[in-house]
Amino acid sequence: MAEVIVVTSGKGGVGKTTSSAALGTGLALKGYKTVVVDFDVGLRNLDLIMGCERRVVYDLVNVVKEEASLNQALIKDKRLENLFVLPASQTRDKDALDKEGVQRVIEELKSSNFDYIICDSPAGIEKGALMALYFADRAIVVTNPEVSSVRDSDRILGILASKSKRAEDKLDPIREHLLVTRYAPNRVERGDMLALSDIEELLAIPLLGVIPESPAVLRASNSGIPVTFDQESDAGQAYLDAVDRFLGHKIPLRFIHTRKRTLLQRLFKSKDKEGAAA
């Protein structure tokens, strides 16, 4: 049976869509049939990050409104045969989504032998976000190491616990995971960012992964290639580690401490400073 996963947060700009694309790609690389569904109606970006924006003909709203079939709207990734995208509409508003229509789409995806259905949620707590999380079995809560982002994520945890279908039906609660993005250990040491331990203490949900602040993420987004494909980059490796943890493997955290410079690097840096002073 397919699992429905919502990638969510209260605050915009924390990396939800980047994370949805990266995690979905990572699961597909592991051999799981995966679909990533864009719930950000009116402001879709998932198709750009997945590199399939020119192939969008029908979208989630068309399927919800029965204006097109699911097969017509699904876009198969050209790099991985078991990875699919269901894009959002750019011309409708979020009121075009309703529970009955979304449930029908989710059920049809489940019957299409998908292992994982990843719902990329819009920011905030309006209708699109509530639709994205309503049918979830698991939630990946994305946050940046800053107070406002963590506070908004805490608000989302309350909504996950009270406004999902699982909560309404009095089933086991949604399994929650924490994903910290744009983490820079050197800035944490300077006191410019919240430390990982502080974030974990404030949100108190299991840590799935820590994604370092990395130029690889921007490069990947601009080129339409999920950063998980860049397995030489720190961010790509961190997302693959998060996928392994999601699948139940015990993987140590990386990229959470500042890198200690070697004696040679310290000597060269000292000479550079002397040269600049001269």
Side-chain angles (χ1 to χ4, degrees):
M1 175 66 76
E3 273 197 306
V4 181
I5 305 149
V6 62
V7 179
T8 183
S9 75
K11 194 173 186 292
V14 299
K16 285 187 301 297
T17 300
T18 295
S19 297
S20 296
L23 295 169
T25 300
L27 287 166
L29 284 167
K30 298 287 182 182
Y32 296 95
K33 187 177 179 183
T34 305
V35 58
V36 189
V37 184
D38 191 348
F39 275 83
D40 201 354
V41 176
L43 293 171
R44 76 174 184 223
N45 284 307
L46 179 66
D47 56 316
L48 290 171
I49 292 175
M50 297 291 289
C52 62
E53 70 277 5
R54 295 181 182 178
R55 299 168 60 200
V56 177
V57 179
Y58 296 105
D59 55 57
L60 173 62
V61 173
N62 291 137
V63 183
V64 167
K65 297 294 185 184
E66 299 186 272
E67 299 163 350
S69 70
L70 180 61
N71 285 336
Q72 286 177 301
L74 279 176
I75 300 172
K76 186 176 182 178
D77 189 86
K78 291 183 177 181
R79 296 151 296 205
L80 293 170
E81 65 176 31
N82 55 347
L83 179 61
F84 295 78
V85 175
L86 181 54
S89 171
Q90 255 185 326
T91 58
R92 309 284 187 96
D93 60 37
K94 294 174 176 63
D95 288 333
L97 299 178
D98 60 82
K99 282 183 182 177
E100 293 75 17
V102 171
Q103 182 172 19
R104 189 176 62 253
V105 173
I106 295 292
E107 292 302 324
E108 190 170 352
L109 287 169
K110 286 182 176 180
S111 66
S112 300
N113 296 319
F114 281 100
D115 296 301
Y116 293 105
I117 300 164
I118 297 179
C119 301
D120 178 28
S121 171
I125 54 174
E126 39 60 58
K127 189 171 183 179
L130 295 177
M131 287 294 100
L133 67 82
Y134 184 72
F135 296 99
D137 301 307
R138 296 167 80 168
I140 297 173
V141 179
V142 183
T143 191
N144 290 160
E146 57 182 66
V147 172
S148 61
S149 180
V150 173
R151 182 181 66 179
D152 289 349
S153 294
D154 193 40
R155 176 82 188 279
I156 284 294
L157 291 175
I159 291 171
L160 287 167
S162 60
K163 294 192 176 182
S164 68
K165 189 174 191 302
R166 281 183 166 273
E168 290 180 2
D169 293 347
K170 298 182 179 179
L171 300 174
D172 290 339
I174 292 174
R175 291 175 61 191
E176 299 159 340
H177 307 272
L178 173 63
L179 185 69
V180 180
T181 56
R182 296 178 183 162
Y183 195 76
N186 58 331
R187 294 177 66 187
V188 172
E189 287 187 357
R190 295 198 304 266
D192 298 334
M193 281 184 171
L194 288 176
L196 182 60
S197 57
D198 294 330
I199 300 169
E200 290 184 279
E201 183 179 347
L202 288 165
L203 296 180
I205 58 174
L207 180 64
L208 183 67
V210 179
I211 312 302
E213 195 170 46
S214 172
V217 174
L218 183 59
R219 284 198 307 268
S221 296
N222 286 337
S223 60
I225 302 172
V227 71
T228 324
F229 281 116
D230 185 2
Q231 297 180 22
E232 297 299 315
S233 71
D234 50 1
Q237 293 171 38
Y239 273 116
L240 286 172
D241 286 351
V243 169
D244 280 332
R245 291 189 200 98
F246 182 84
L247 295 172
H249 304 295
K250 292 185 177 180
I251 306 292
L253 288 169
R254 296 190 278 175
F255 316 114
I256 60 171
H257 302 294
T258 52
R259 294 179 181 176
K260 293 183 179 179
R261 293 193 302 273
T262 65
L263 176 60
L264 197 61
Q265 288 172 327
R266 290 199 297 272
L267 285 171
F268 273 114
K269 187 171 183 180
S270 177
K271 288 182 179 180
D272 288 343
K273 284 182 178 180
E274 289 174 5

